[in-house]
Amino acid sequence: MEGLDTLTRSLARRTPEQLAALLTRHAEPLARRPAPTELRGLASALWSYETLHHLVLHLDHPRLKVLATTARISQERAAQDAPAPAAPAPGADYQSLMAHRLSFAQLATAPVPPEDVLAALEATGSARAAAESALRALYDDALAAPTEDGAVVVPPRTPQLLAAHDFGPFLAEAPRPFPDDPADAGTPVAAVPETSPHDESRAAAATLAATADRLLASLATQPAALRKSGGLAVREIKRLAKAAGAGEPQTRLLLDLALAAGLIALTRTPAGITALPTGAYDDWLDRPPGQRLDPLLAAWSALWAIPTHTPFGETPTALVRGHDRHAPALRHALLATLATVPPAAGAPLATPAPGTVPPGLLRAADWHRPLAVTAQPMAEDRAAHTLDEAAYLGLVAHGTLTPLGRALLTDPHSLDEPLADLLPPLLEQAHFQADLTAVVPGRPTAALAALLTSAADRESEEHAVTWRFTPASVRHALDTGHTAGTLLDDLTRASTTGALPQPLRYLVQDAARAHGRMRVLPAACCIRSDDETLVKELAAHRALGDLALRVIAPTVLVSSRPPAATLDALRAAGYAPALESDTGTTTVERLPAHRTTAPAPTRDPQAPLALARRLLGLTPQPGEAAATGGG
């Protein structure tokens, strides 16, 4: 209890902005618990086993070493001061054994002077400064708290979390991912690349934006059905991969990122659960190319999964909630390590082949996140797939980070500037040619792409996007409400020259002359009766006006409403209809089962600050949202 009191007093000394920053940094683990109503409740949540288990994954070697050393010394001193618990009697039950195992002496901690921690670390000179900096970082993240006399208190569960790990001697700096003299160590030296990391990132970003656009457009046209056991079936992934023009691993990656970014959602329908775009997708289409990638890259940095990695014996799938809490820390460790590699040509870390990890990279990455790299199973395989994903997203090239990768490492939510530098603005006009094609030498706006797609077939997706007009494609535009005049006017406004080639005008006019020579009558269902008088009575009945009944034969009416609604209206008007199948037999009716999904809660960005002010006993400022969660 003394440790929680110390932490509570430490939290009370923070400003609202400092406490809100802490709540934001720890939002993910705290969101799994009820929102605290007082500072001591927040202290208990921060030092709970579940929260600590998440937070220690994101500590680098200096902070983990300082925390583990302080916890060891603290526990040893507490055990000396506390009486040893009585040994359980022979044949004791499980509860007695666990009570002995988790006795006060096992969980109690005692304050430790910082000098004792530094002495145990044998930290002098620059190492001492690094250890002191690590201790201050632990204070900032509430993983340790200073007492009134300057001693250090750590969570009592820390030894249980870290006792099984050997972090070795204290290292103030990360090891280099390559030897100082790679030639002597046999490390391959990268040849001078023909392109810069910035050029590679630009090409990857352009491909990613186009692929994501095609993938989400395909889902908007035909939602994907999920298996009953969860995740997309292989045939659905193949279909979407073909529509997106990407490989299946990359398609799985983009699907998971779009789901995490809220661009698609899983919706329950009578046929099962399907994946289709959300309302955010429409807003996403109106953004410039760079801003379209922003939510996808931010989602990748925090995703609890490595979508392109499928453990042996499992079936590759997508749109399954991830449970790999180590994945975000692994990404950070790999990117932080590659950030130390000079971006100059001929960097000593050779660009690895897909599916491989450069020599020495994991050893260096371990320093940045010791509990998330080699401490986990299949470390090299997981790291290789993570690097492949980073290269595909334009974050890694030539064995180092691209400018976009460095921006993501610094702040995943501030990528507007580097993305705007990588992708040019969208084009609003196209070049119409006499061979009945329209060419956009770049990325078209959503409005231009929608217009051309409505009247032409998309042919190519290289640096320029090409559409081809055919009689069938023009008929499709006429089917969707265009007339020859409106279609020609819209295409003329979209032309870079303000005019259209004569062959295209002739094609549109010819298609319009043939369009509508036969008509298809819309009808949701039919009503038939051998009694012609009854048919006339139904057609003239005022109470059935909502059905828009029309007589198409002496014994047949058509209704604009589906069978269920038509039956209800007829019965409400006093008639006794029977439902008939398409084979002419009477159908037995069953009550349908209706299901719906609850809307996902929204998180207000001002909630952490409002909650911080409440916890500190301050009056919320005007405009601050009422806090509804733990950050």
Side-chain angles (χ1 to χ4, degrees), residues 242-309:
K242 182 178 180 180
E248 292 180 26
Q250 290 75 28
T251 301
R252 298 198 306 270
L253 170 63
L254 288 179
L255 286 170
D256 283 358
L257 295 184
L259 180 65
L263 299 178
I264 62 177
L266 306 183
T267 304
R268 184 177 296 277
T269 67
I273 298 178
T274 59
L276 68 164
T278 64
Y281 169 62
D282 298 320
D283 298 333
W284 183 82
L285 286 175
D286 294 332
R287 299 181 185 181
Q291 292 184 16
R292 290 187 185 184
L293 297 186
D294 198 337
L296 298 177
L297 296 177
W300 182 76
S301 68
L303 194 65
W304 276 33
I306 304 175
T308 60
H309 175 244

Side-chain angles (χ1 to χ4, degrees), residues 58-80:
H58 299 272
L59 298 182
D60 57 18
H61 171 81
R63 287 182 290 171
L64 266 179
K65 186 66 177 177
V66 170
L67 181 62
T69 302
T70 306
R72 177 180 57 80
I73 298 174
S74 176
Q75 190 180 44
E76 290 174 353
R77 295 190 175 183
Q80 292 175 357

